[in-house]
Amino acid sequence: MAGIYRRIMSWVDERFGTGSVEEFLRHKTVPIHRHTIWYYLGGMTLFLFIIQVLTGILLLLYYRPTASDAFESVQFIMTQVQFGWLIRSIHSWSANLMIFLVFAHMFSVYFLKAYRKPRELTWVTGMLLMFVVLAFGFSGYLLPWNTLSFFATKVGTDMAGFVPFIGKWILIFLRGGKEVTGATLTRFFGFHVAVLPGLATLLLAMHLLLVQRLGMSTPPSVERAIEQGKEQRRSMPFFPNFLLRDIIGWYAALGVLGALAAIFPWELGIKANPFGSAPAGIRPEWYFLFMFQTFKYLPAKVLFLDSELLGLAVFSLAGAVWVIVPFLDYKAGFGKVTRFFTGLGIFALGYIVLMSALALRT
Amino acid sequence: MTRNTLLMIGVLMWALVPAGKARAADSCLTCHSALEGDFAKPAKLIEGDVHYQAGLVCADCHGGDPKDNSMSAMSPAKGFRGAPRKAQIPEFCGRCHSNPTYMRHYNPGLRTDQLSEYLTSVHGKRLKQGDTKVAACVDCHSVHNIQAVTDPRAPVYPANVANTCAKCHANAEYMKGYKIPTNQFALYEKSVHAAALAGGDTSAPTCTTCHGNHGATPPGVSSVANVCGTCHAFNEQLFDNSPHKAAFAAMGLPGCVQCHSNHEILKPTDALVGVGPKAICITCHSKGDPGYAGAAKIAGDIAKLQTFYLHANQILGTAERSGMEVSAARVELSSAHSDLLKARVTVHTFDPAQVQKITGEGVQIAQKSYQEGVAALHERDVRRKGLGLSLTFIVLVILGLIFKIRQMEAKKPPASPGSAERS
């Protein structure tokens, strides 16, 4: 048996040069220290992304992206298709869990200063991936064409209209017209299953390539402890030791997803009626709540700026700063931990948690 | 002060004068404002009056010359009519309100037959006979501070009508001698109509809806069903085609009121139909007669549908709370609920066969919905069992992996000092 396996691998190596990959994996190691646990978040996010792709493909077999059929097709998936309820519920739960893990992964990387030289581009591609994931969430939310998603999309796309000069154009581009209609649904479907997956694949490939090329970062505090002789530099082989631990996490995530889908199947809601009035207490998905709550607190006008424009400008600026943080906090590359950037991270995390909690409470 | 300064002060003064419709000086208001007691009342009240707000002045009703500041302003020579006596009030108001040409200037939509209607009413007839205790225009609409019927402060606004009528009709002392009950208001207050009105539905019936307003009169036995039928048209139609129509007429019984009462019309329940202790049918029908058996059959069929509906509703609710998608079954079940409502209305045919036809369809739908609820709960249990099995498998795999890692690392510990990549 082992002989056949070796012969097959040798045949493949002759053609694809997989030996070098095998060699790379054999020598790849993962540092062991008190923060090692955070290394698993990226792998788990990747696992959930794969689940999204697989369940998404299965949903595509029955989903119909038109205003007249979308709701009914999802209802059909939930009630008539064998295990359709499971696939759709896992797709929805996994999406939410993935976004949560993306945030957790991002903040863990931020606080462990893993973005420092030479991993600036790993951070940048990761951030871009996060924006793509949020776009996945926003576009996917509309697809069941229920009342809540319809009005949330209306409010969400309204925001694009406040961008100076090109806002109106963006709004019409996103909606496929002045209002949210069936054209918006078809367009969002296109973004969700073609444009965003393409972008995500490209960014993911770059992100993973960089992670493999540069390896895992050891936090500056651990580096210092090693240099001072307080700790020993320890590591484990990526293959199979780290990968097996990763798989344990993936199995656990699969169990959680299955339990959520079976005990709390994702609800369908009421079919959207574009001529109906917006339901009371309408709000976006939980990951946009901190922005939604901020807009509530902004006064109608600050100096000459409308609150919506001001909010957009602040969040865009904050997002841009966050993306280029490895270049701003360049001192981290020399092992220096700047209090300002640690404080900035604590402020950002605290702000997101506080605003989301306030939005959920009201 | 220069001429320009004076001009500027003049412009400023003009600008500071409160904006509003300028009114000519009115000697009636000037003098009555300075008086005391009842003489001052009209001048104080008039500002809130709909007539005054429309531009009318005291003299438009009472005559006289408002430009004359002396007592001769109130001389007959200047057309002064003074305050009308009670018996004169309807014609006093009717001077304008019965004149369509005049009324068109102010409120073209307002009817102008109030006086002629009033004269046909019990109030109007008695007033003509010299009974000044009966209601005339001002008793209901008030005087000098009259508000439009659409104004919630008006005593004739739908929500206030019952209280306005009750001022006299609920006053036993005042009504002594008329030989009519004085408990109508107390009874009406308990009714489903009063509850609807209190809930903000100003189209809900109040005294004037059934009795008329200006032509107020008690509906006779023969016309009660017509009064109720103005709103409950379908029920009236069913009753008219039922055997009860002729039977009630022969016995001199009023239609609807016989079962539903007149002022104390309560929300009807299923208990009113049948042969139970609260049933109305047994007030006329007794054991052994076909009506008694028919009532029992109708009540039984409605109760059956109600029970089947509730069971189906309950099981679908449980399925929904378990996260199951049963919206299609819910839509179906709503048809059973419609059948239940339809059957309750069809009671007015007093025909067990017609009621059974509807309840039978409803029961079938409710049974189907119930079965869909059972299937949904079964599916939920299957899912949970499947979850249990999957979780067991996942836990076993995780335990196996942990065991494998320990076994592997026991042979060759992963912690190899100095071997990790520096970063």
Side-chain angles (χ1 to χ4, degrees), chain A residues 29 75 78-79 85 116 119 214-218 223 227 232-237 240-241 244-245 247-248 251-252 254-255 258-259 262-263 265 268, chain B residues 321-328 379-380 383-384 387 391 393-394 397-398 401-402 404-405 408-409 412-423:
Chain A
T29 58
Q75 193 174 37
M78 290 295 281
T79 55
W85 63 273
R116 68 191 193 279
R119 296 184 178 78
L214 302 169
M216 305 288 200
S217 150
T218 308
E223 284 287 359
E227 277 164 20
Q232 272 198 320
R233 190 177 296 280
R234 299 185 303 142
S235 68
M236 69 172 118
N241 302 48
L244 284 177
R245 284 175 168 85
I247 292 172
I248 290 176
Y251 263 99
L254 193 64
I263 301 168
L268 186 60
Chain B
R321 283 191 294 280
S322 307
M324 302 305 294
E325 168 54 35
V326 286
S327 56
E379 166 74 12
R380 177 200 66 180
R383 288 180 188 185
R384 290 186 179 176
L387 172 68
L391 287 181
F393 173 75
I394 286 171
V397 171
I398 288 175
L401 284 170
I402 292 171
K404 171 76 184 164
I405 291 168
M408 203 170 64
E409 291 179 356
K412 189 184 172 191
S416 46
S419 65
E421 300 160 34
R422 277 189 65 88
S423 51

Coordinates of all heavy atoms in Angstrom, one line a residue, chain A residues 29 75 78-79 85 116 119 214-218 223 227 232-237 240-241 244-245 247-248 251-252 254-255 258-259 262-263 265 268, chain B residues 321-328 379-380 383-384 387 391 393-394 397-398 401-402 404-405 408-409 412-423:
Chain A
T29 N 7.3 25.4 10.8 CA 7.0 25.2 12.2 C 6.1 26.3 12.7 O 6.0 27.4 12.0 CB 8.3 25.2 13.0 OG1 9.0 26.4 12.8 CG2 9.2 24.0 12.7
Q75 N -38.2 29.5 0.6 CA -39.2 28.7 1.3 C -39.2 27.3 0.9 O -39.3 26.3 1.7 CB -40.6 29.4 1.1 CG -41.6 28.9 2.0 CD -42.9 29.7 1.8 OE1 -43.3 30.0 0.7 NE2 -43.6 29.9 2.9
M78 N -36.3 25.5 2.3 CA -36.5 25.2 3.8 C -37.5 24.1 4.1 O -37.4 23.5 5.1 CB -36.9 26.5 4.5 CG -35.9 27.6 4.6 SD -34.5 27.1 5.6 CE -35.1 27.4 7.2
T79 N -38.5 24.0 3.2 CA -39.5 23.0 3.5 C -39.6 21.8 2.6 O -40.0 20.7 3.1 CB -40.9 23.7 3.4 OG1 -41.0 24.3 2.1 CG2 -41.1 24.8 4.4
W85 N -33.2 22.7 4.6 CA -33.2 23.5 5.8 C -31.8 23.6 6.5 O -31.4 24.6 7.0 CB -34.2 23.0 6.8 CG -33.9 21.6 7.3 CD1 -34.3 20.4 6.7 CD2 -33.1 21.2 8.4 NE1 -33.7 19.3 7.4 CE2 -33.0 19.8 8.4 CE3 -32.4 21.9 9.4 CZ2 -32.3 19.1 9.4 CZ3 -31.8 21.2 10.4 CH2 -31.7 19.8 10.4
R116 N 3.5 43.7 12.0 CA 4.7 44.4 11.8 C 5.6 43.8 10.8 O 5.4 42.6 10.4 CB 5.4 44.5 13.2 CG 5.9 43.2 13.8 CD 6.4 43.4 15.2 NE 7.1 42.3 15.7 CZ 6.6 41.1 16.1 NH1 5.3 41.0 16.1 NH2 7.4 40.1 16.5
R119 N 5.3 41.7 7.7 CA 4.0 41.1 7.4 C 2.9 42.2 7.1 O 1.7 42.0 7.3 CB 3.5 40.3 8.6 CG 4.4 39.0 8.8 CD 3.9 38.1 9.9 NE 4.7 37.0 10.0 CZ 5.9 37.0 10.6 NH1 6.4 38.1 11.2 NH2 6.6 35.9 10.6
L214 N 5.9 33.8 5.1 CA 6.5 34.5 6.2 C 6.4 33.8 7.5 O 7.0 34.2 8.5 CB 5.9 35.9 6.3 CG 6.1 36.8 5.0 CD1 5.2 38.0 5.1 CD2 7.5 37.2 4.8
G215 N 5.5 32.8 7.6 CA 5.3 32.1 8.8 C 4.5 32.8 9.8 O 4.1 34.0 9.6
M216 N 4.3 32.2 11.0 CA 3.6 32.9 12.1 C 4.5 33.8 12.8 O 5.7 33.6 13.1 CB 3.1 31.8 13.1 CG 2.3 30.7 12.5 SD 0.7 31.3 11.9 CE -0.2 29.8 11.8
S217 N 3.9 35.0 13.2 CA 4.7 36.0 14.0 C 4.7 35.6 15.4 O 3.7 35.2 16.0 CB 4.0 37.3 13.7 OG 4.2 38.2 14.8
T218 N 5.9 35.9 16.1 CA 5.9 35.7 17.5 C 5.7 37.1 18.1 O 6.4 38.1 17.7 CB 7.3 35.2 18.0 OG1 7.5 34.0 17.2 CG2 7.3 34.8 19.4
E223 N 9.1 37.6 22.3 CA 10.5 37.8 21.8 C 11.4 38.4 22.9 O 12.5 37.9 23.0 CB 10.4 38.8 20.6 CG 9.9 38.2 19.3 CD 10.9 37.2 18.6 OE1 12.0 37.0 19.2 OE2 10.6 36.6 17.6
E227 N 14.6 36.8 24.5 CA 15.9 37.5 24.5 C 16.5 37.7 25.9 O 17.7 37.6 26.1 CB 15.8 38.9 23.8 CG 15.9 38.8 22.3 CD 15.3 40.0 21.6 OE1 15.3 41.1 22.2 OE2 15.0 39.9 20.4
Q232 N 12.1 30.0 26.7 CA 12.8 29.3 25.7 C 12.1 29.4 24.4 O 10.8 29.4 24.4 CB 13.0 27.9 26.0 CG 14.2 27.6 26.9 CD 14.5 26.1 26.9 OE1 13.6 25.3 26.9 NE2 15.8 25.8 26.8
R233 N 12.8 29.5 23.3 CA 12.1 29.5 22.0 C 11.6 28.1 21.7 O 12.4 27.2 21.6 CB 13.0 30.0 20.9 CG 12.3 30.3 19.6 CD 13.2 30.8 18.5 NE 13.8 32.1 18.9 CZ 13.1 33.3 18.7 NH1 11.9 33.3 18.2 NH2 13.7 34.4 19.1
R234 N 10.3 27.9 21.6 CA 9.8 26.6 21.3 C 8.9 26.6 20.0 O 8.3 27.7 19.7 CB 8.9 26.1 22.5 CG 9.7 26.0 23.8 CD 9.0 25.4 24.9 NE 7.7 26.1 25.2 CZ 6.6 25.6 25.5 NH1 6.5 24.3 25.6 NH2 5.5 26.3 25.8
S235 N 8.7 25.5 19.4 CA 7.9 25.4 18.2 C 7.4 24.0 18.0 O 7.9 23.1 18.6 CB 8.7 25.9 17.0 OG 9.6 24.9 16.7
M236 N 6.4 23.9 17.1 CA 5.9 22.6 16.8 C 5.8 22.5 15.2 O 5.6 23.5 14.6 CB 4.6 22.3 17.4 CG 3.4 23.1 16.8 SD 1.9 22.6 17.5 CE 1.3 24.0 18.3
P237 N 6.0 21.3 14.7 CA 5.8 21.2 13.2 C 4.4 21.6 12.8 O 3.4 21.2 13.5 CB 6.1 19.7 12.9 CG 6.7 19.2 14.2 CD 6.3 20.0 15.3
P240 N 2.4 17.3 11.1 CA 0.9 17.3 11.2 C 0.5 17.9 12.5 O -0.7 18.1 12.7 CB 0.6 15.8 11.2 CG 1.8 15.2 12.0 CD 3.0 16.0 11.6
N241 N 1.4 18.3 13.5 CA 1.0 18.7 14.8 C 0.0 19.8 14.9 O -1.1 19.7 15.5 CB 2.2 19.0 15.7 CG 3.2 17.9 15.7 OD1 3.5 17.3 14.7 ND2 3.7 17.6 16.9
L244 N -3.4 19.1 12.9 CA -4.3 18.2 13.6 C -5.1 19.0 14.6 O -6.3 18.8 14.8 CB -3.5 17.0 14.2 CG -3.1 15.9 13.3 CD1 -2.3 14.9 14.0 CD2 -4.3 15.3 12.6
R245 N -4.4 19.9 15.3 CA -5.0 20.8 16.3 C -6.1 21.7 15.6 O -7.1 21.9 16.1 CB -4.0 21.6 17.0 CG -3.2 20.8 18.1 CD -2.1 21.7 18.7 NE -1.6 21.1 19.8 CZ -0.6 20.3 19.9 NH1 0.0 19.9 18.7 NH2 -0.1 19.8 21.0
I247 N -7.6 20.9 12.9 CA -8.8 20.1 12.5 C -9.7 19.9 13.7 O -10.9 19.8 13.5 CB -8.3 18.7 11.9 CG1 -7.6 19.0 10.6 CG2 -9.4 17.8 11.7 CD1 -6.9 17.8 9.9
I248 N -9.1 19.8 14.9 CA -10.0 19.7 16.1 C -10.9 20.9 16.2 O -12.1 20.8 16.4 CB -9.1 19.5 17.4 CG1 -8.4 18.2 17.4 CG2 -10.0 19.7 18.6 CD1 -7.5 18.0 18.6
Y251 N -13.6 20.7 13.5 CA -14.7 19.7 13.9 C -15.6 20.4 15.0 O -16.8 20.2 14.9 CB -14.1 18.4 14.5 CG -14.0 17.4 13.4 CD1 -12.9 17.1 12.7 CD2 -15.2 16.6 13.1 CE1 -12.8 16.1 11.7 CE2 -15.1 15.7 12.1 CZ -14.0 15.4 11.4 OH -13.9 14.4 10.4
A252 N -15.0 21.1 15.9 CA -15.8 21.7 17.0 C -16.7 22.7 16.3 O -17.9 22.8 16.7 CB -14.9 22.4 18.0
L254 N -17.9 22.7 13.3 CA -18.9 22.0 12.6 C -20.0 21.6 13.5 O -21.2 21.7 13.2 CB -18.3 20.8 11.9 CG -19.1 20.1 10.8 CD1 -19.3 21.1 9.6 CD2 -18.4 18.9 10.3
G255 N -19.6 21.1 14.7 CA -20.6 20.7 15.7 C -21.5 21.8 16.1 O -22.7 21.7 16.2
G258 N -23.9 22.7 13.3 CA -24.9 21.7 13.2 C -26.0 21.9 14.3 O -27.2 21.9 14.1
A259 N -25.5 22.2 15.5 CA -26.4 22.4 16.7 C -27.3 23.6 16.4 O -28.5 23.6 16.6 CB -25.6 22.5 17.9
A262 N -29.9 22.9 13.7 CA -30.9 22.0 14.1 C -31.8 22.6 15.2 O -33.1 22.4 15.2 CB -30.3 20.7 14.6
I263 N -31.3 23.4 16.1 CA -32.1 23.9 17.2 C -32.7 25.2 16.9 O -33.8 25.5 17.2 CB -31.2 23.9 18.5 CG1 -30.8 22.5 18.9 CG2 -32.1 24.5 19.7 CD1 -29.7 22.4 19.9
P265 N -33.1 26.8 13.5 CA -33.0 27.0 12.0 C -33.2 28.5 11.7 O -34.0 29.2 12.3 CB -34.2 26.2 11.5 CG -34.6 25.3 12.6 CD -34.3 26.0 13.9
L268 N -37.3 32.5 8.1 CA -37.5 33.0 6.7 C -38.1 34.4 6.7 O -37.8 35.2 5.8 CB -38.5 32.0 6.1 CG -38.8 32.2 4.6 CD1 -37.5 32.1 3.8 CD2 -39.8 31.1 4.1
Chain B
R321 N -42.2 27.8 17.3 CA -41.3 28.1 18.4 C -40.1 27.2 18.3 O -39.0 27.5 18.9 CB -42.0 28.0 19.7 CG -42.9 29.2 20.0 CD -43.4 29.2 21.4 NE -44.3 28.1 21.7 CZ -45.6 28.1 21.4 NH1 -46.1 29.1 20.8 NH2 -46.3 27.0 21.6
S322 N -40.2 26.0 17.7 CA -39.1 25.1 17.6 C -38.3 25.4 16.3 O -37.3 24.7 16.0 CB -39.6 23.7 17.4 OG -40.4 23.3 18.4
G323 N -38.6 26.5 15.7 CA -37.9 27.0 14.5 C -38.3 26.3 13.2 O -37.6 26.5 12.2
M324 N -39.4 25.6 13.2 CA -39.8 24.9 12.0 C -40.5 25.9 11.1 O -41.2 26.8 11.6 CB -40.7 23.7 12.3 CG -40.1 22.7 13.2 SD -38.5 22.1 12.6 CE -39.0 21.2 11.1
E325 N -40.4 25.7 9.8 CA -41.0 26.6 8.8 C -42.4 26.0 8.4 O -42.5 25.0 7.7 CB -40.1 26.7 7.6 CG -40.7 27.3 6.3 CD -41.3 28.7 6.6 OE1 -40.7 29.5 7.4 OE2 -42.3 29.0 5.9
V326 N -43.5 26.6 9.0 CA -44.8 26.1 8.7 C -45.7 27.2 8.2 O -46.9 27.2 8.4 CB -45.4 25.5 10.0 CG1 -44.8 24.2 10.3 CG2 -45.3 26.5 11.2
S327 N -45.1 28.2 7.5 CA -45.9 29.3 7.0 C -47.0 28.9 6.1 O -48.1 29.5 6.1 CB -45.0 30.4 6.4 OG -44.3 29.9 5.4
A328 N -46.7 27.9 5.2 CA -47.7 27.4 4.3 C -49.0 26.9 5.0 O -50.1 27.1 4.7 CB -47.2 26.4 3.4
E379 N -40.5 16.0 12.2 CA -39.2 16.4 11.5 C -38.2 17.0 12.5 O -37.1 16.8 12.4 CB -39.6 17.4 10.4 CG -38.5 18.1 9.7 CD -37.7 17.3 8.8 OE1 -38.1 16.2 8.5 OE2 -36.6 17.8 8.4
R380 N -38.8 17.9 13.4 CA -37.9 18.5 14.4 C -37.2 17.4 15.2 O -36.0 17.5 15.5 CB -38.8 19.4 15.3 CG -38.0 20.0 16.4 CD -38.9 20.5 17.5 NE -39.6 19.4 18.2 CZ -40.4 19.5 19.2 NH1 -40.8 20.6 19.7 NH2 -40.9 18.4 19.8
R383 N -34.5 15.8 13.3 CA -33.3 16.6 13.2 C -32.5 16.6 14.5 O -31.3 16.5 14.4 CB -33.8 18.1 13.0 CG -34.3 18.3 11.6 CD -34.7 19.8 11.5 NE -35.4 20.0 10.2 CZ -35.8 21.2 9.8 NH1 -35.6 22.3 10.6 NH2 -36.5 21.4 8.7
R384 N -33.2 16.6 15.6 CA -32.5 16.6 16.9 C -31.8 15.3 17.1 O -30.7 15.3 17.6 CB -33.5 16.9 18.0 CG -33.9 18.4 17.9 CD -34.7 18.9 19.0 NE -35.0 20.3 18.8 CZ -35.7 21.1 19.5 NH1 -36.3 20.6 20.6 NH2 -35.9 22.4 19.2
L387 N -28.8 15.4 15.0 CA -27.8 16.2 15.6 C -27.1 15.5 16.7 O -25.8 15.5 16.8 CB -28.5 17.5 16.2 CG -27.6 18.4 17.0 CD1 -26.6 19.1 16.1 CD2 -28.4 19.4 17.7
L391 N -23.2 14.9 16.6 CA -22.3 15.4 17.7 C -21.5 14.3 18.3 O -20.3 14.5 18.6 CB -23.1 16.2 18.7 CG -23.7 17.5 18.2 CD1 -24.5 18.2 19.4 CD2 -22.6 18.5 17.8
F393 N -20.5 11.6 16.8 CA -19.4 11.3 15.9 C -18.3 12.4 16.0 O -17.1 12.0 16.0 CB -20.0 11.2 14.5 CG -19.0 11.1 13.4 CD1 -18.3 9.9 13.2 CD2 -18.6 12.2 12.6 CE1 -17.4 9.7 12.2 CE2 -17.6 12.0 11.6 CZ -17.0 10.8 11.4
I394 N -18.7 13.6 16.0 CA -17.7 14.7 16.0 C -16.9 14.6 17.3 O -15.6 14.7 17.3 CB -18.4 16.1 15.9 CG1 -18.9 16.3 14.5 CG2 -17.5 17.2 16.4 CD1 -19.8 17.5 14.3
V397 N -14.4 11.8 17.0 CA -13.3 12.2 16.1 C -12.3 13.1 16.9 O -11.1 12.9 16.8 CB -13.8 12.9 14.8 CG1 -12.6 13.5 14.0 CG2 -14.6 11.9 14.0
I398 N -12.9 14.1 17.6 CA -12.0 15.1 18.3 C -11.2 14.3 19.4 O -10.0 14.5 19.5 CB -12.9 16.2 19.0 CG1 -13.4 17.1 17.9 CG2 -12.1 16.9 20.0 CD1 -14.4 18.2 18.4
L401 N -8.5 12.5 17.7 CA -7.4 13.4 17.2 C -6.5 13.8 18.4 O -5.3 13.8 18.3 CB -8.0 14.6 16.6 CG -8.5 14.5 15.2 CD1 -9.3 15.7 14.7 CD2 -7.4 14.2 14.2
I402 N -7.2 14.1 19.6 CA -6.4 14.4 20.8 C -5.5 13.3 21.2 O -4.3 13.4 21.5 CB -7.4 14.8 21.9 CG1 -8.1 16.1 21.6 CG2 -6.6 14.9 23.3 CD1 -9.2 16.5 22.6
K404 N -4.4 10.9 19.2 CA -3.3 10.8 18.2 C -2.2 11.8 18.4 O -1.0 11.4 18.3 CB -4.0 11.0 16.8 CG -3.0 11.1 15.6 CD -2.5 9.7 15.3 CE -1.4 9.8 14.2 NZ -0.7 8.6 14.1
I405 N -2.6 13.1 18.7 CA -1.6 14.1 18.9 C -0.7 13.7 20.2 O 0.5 13.8 20.1 CB -2.3 15.5 19.2 CG1 -2.9 16.0 17.8 CG2 -1.3 16.5 19.6 CD1 -3.8 17.1 18.0
M408 N 1.6 10.9 19.3 CA 2.6 11.4 18.4 C 3.7 12.2 19.2 O 4.9 12.0 19.0 CB 1.9 12.3 17.4 CG 2.6 12.4 16.1 SD 1.5 13.2 14.9 CE 1.3 14.8 15.7
E409 N 3.2 13.1 20.0 CA 4.1 14.0 20.7 C 4.8 13.3 21.9 O 5.8 13.8 22.4 CB 3.4 15.3 21.2 CG 3.0 16.1 19.9 CD 2.2 17.4 20.2 OE1 1.9 17.6 21.4 OE2 2.0 18.1 19.3
K412 N 7.8 12.0 20.0 CA 8.7 13.1 19.6 C 8.1 14.4 20.1 O 7.2 14.9 19.4 CB 8.8 13.0 18.1 CG 9.9 13.9 17.5 CD 9.9 13.9 16.0 CE 10.9 14.9 15.4 NZ 10.7 15.0 14.0
P413 N 8.6 15.0 21.2 CA 8.0 16.2 21.7 C 8.2 17.3 20.7 O 9.2 17.4 20.0 CB 8.8 16.5 23.0 CG 9.5 15.3 23.3 CD 9.7 14.5 22.0
P414 N 7.1 18.2 20.5 CA 7.2 19.2 19.5 C 8.1 20.4 19.9 O 8.6 21.1 19.0 CB 5.8 19.7 19.4 CG 5.2 19.4 20.7 CD 5.9 18.2 21.2
A415 N 8.2 20.6 21.2 CA 9.0 21.8 21.7 C 10.5 21.6 21.4 O 11.1 20.8 22.1 CB 8.7 22.0 23.1
S416 N 11.0 22.1 20.4 CA 12.4 22.0 20.1 C 13.0 23.3 20.1 O 12.9 24.1 19.2 CB 12.5 21.3 18.7 OG 11.7 22.0 17.8
P417 N 13.7 23.6 21.3 CA 14.3 25.0 21.5 C 15.2 25.4 20.3 O 16.0 24.6 19.8 CB 15.1 24.8 22.7 CG 14.6 23.6 23.4 CD 14.1 22.7 22.4
G418 N 14.9 26.6 19.9 CA 15.7 27.1 18.8 C 15.3 26.8 17.4 O 15.9 27.3 16.4
S419 N 14.3 25.9 17.3 CA 14.0 25.5 15.9 C 12.9 26.4 15.2 O 12.8 26.4 14.0 CB 13.5 24.1 15.9 OG 12.3 24.0 16.6
A420 N 12.2 27.2 16.1 CA 11.2 28.1 15.5 C 11.8 29.2 14.7 O 12.9 29.7 14.9 CB 10.3 28.7 16.6
E421 N 11.0 29.6 13.7 CA 11.4 30.7 12.8 C 11.4 32.0 13.7 O 10.5 32.2 14.4 CB 10.5 30.9 11.6 CG 10.4 29.7 10.8 CD 9.1 29.8 9.9 OE1 8.7 30.9 9.6 OE2 8.5 28.7 9.7
R422 N 12.4 32.8 13.5 CA 12.4 34.1 14.2 C 11.5 35.1 13.4 O 11.3 35.0 12.2 CB 13.8 34.7 14.2 CG 14.7 34.2 15.4 CD 15.9 35.0 15.4 NE 15.7 36.4 15.8 CZ 15.6 36.8 17.0 NH1 15.7 36.0 18.0 NH2 15.4 38.1 17.3
S423 N 10.8 35.9 14.1 CA 9.9 36.9 13.4 C 10.1 38.2 14.1 O 9.2 38.9 14.3 CB 8.5 36.4 13.4 OG 8.1 36.1 14.7

